[in-house]
Amino acid sequence: MNYVRTGLLLAGLTALFGAVGMMIGGQQGMIIALLFAAVMNVFAYWNADSMLLRMRGAKQVDDRTAPELVSMVRELAQNAGLPMPKVYVIDNPQPNAFATGRNPENAAVAATSGLMQLLDRNEIAGVMAHELAHIKNRDTLTMTITATIAGAISALANFAMFAGMFGGGRNDNNNPLGGVGMILVAILAPLGAMLVQMAISRTREYEADKIGAEICRHPMWLASALNKLDKGVHAIPNMDAERNPATAHMYIANPLSGKGVDNLFSTHPSMSNRIAKLREMAGAPQSGAAAPAKSGPWSGAAKDRRVRRRPWN
């Protein structure tokens, strides 16, 4: 059902883009707008992942530079039936993470230094499993396309504002709206695009939590991580994300807002709702904060020889 809903929302966003083009320039404007969107999407399909990683100053790590993290991601990818993604670390004090890539064969996961310092091993595994779930579901491509179309709608809206202010008095067949109508399009179109974009993001986050919990096989690992992230992102600003808010939906926790309200203007579901669903999966009581699992293959408390022989210890 989530896939159907996401498809319908994407279709609605594309239709909105075409409608804005038609309102600005008639049928010719709609064709130009859709051609413009197609070019942008092709470019984004091949280059969005590398662009995002460069924007965030991400550095690729391997078995030599970050053996525990890379080994953890490798085993989780095997659990998920995925190829091994590239692994990146971002020097940023806000605890957060995201996944990117056009398909599972060309994917990457990235974690901030703040996340590595705040969470324990089980919780980091839960977060990485969540990001691998996004890759498995091909959410990274969906969200890239969504962001691209939404950005193009905003660009068209800016053009409509300019045309409404300086060219609205002309009455020609290519412009079915007057100056006031063009200004209304400039205001309402980005708002509509933002609402659809956020609805898609929230839908995919719930699904990634569910599948991520299945990949790491311990829903409470992710629940505990989300509980800590909810507090961490509110306490520490992410200035890189603030400068480019269009990518906020890519993160596991909203890097922009201190509000946990699950409403139309939030890129993510509320953490309390997400944690409650994970606790339900684990059969844990719904009251109180999520507690980390007592033991597991990434638990620092485990002392037996089998755990010590694992490559991330």
Side-chain angles (χ1 to χ4, degrees), residues 75-141:
E75 180 164 337
L76 290 169
Q78 291 173 353
N79 290 350
L82 291 170
M84 175 65 181
K86 295 178 181 177
V87 183
Y88 289 81
V89 172
I90 302 170
D91 186 14
N92 190 300
Q94 185 189 77
N96 228 318
F98 64 84
T100 186
R102 61 185 180 271
N103 54 40
E105 291 72 32
N106 295 275
V109 294
T112 66
S113 55
L115 180 139
M116 303 297 293
Q117 294 169 5
L118 178 66
L119 305 186
D120 65 29
R121 293 179 180 180
N122 288 352
E123 293 161 345
I124 294 172
V127 170
M128 292 295 101
H130 171 97
E131 299 307 331
L132 289 172
H134 277 307
I135 295 171
K136 188 179 183 70
N137 293 340
R138 298 180 182 264
D139 292 339
T140 51
L141 177 59

Side-chain angles (χ1 to χ4, degrees), residues 56-71:
R56 295 295 176 260
K59 296 181 179 179
Q60 187 174 356
V61 295
D62 54 27
D63 288 307
R64 181 180 58 84
T65 55
E68 293 185 11
L69 178 61
V70 172
S71 296

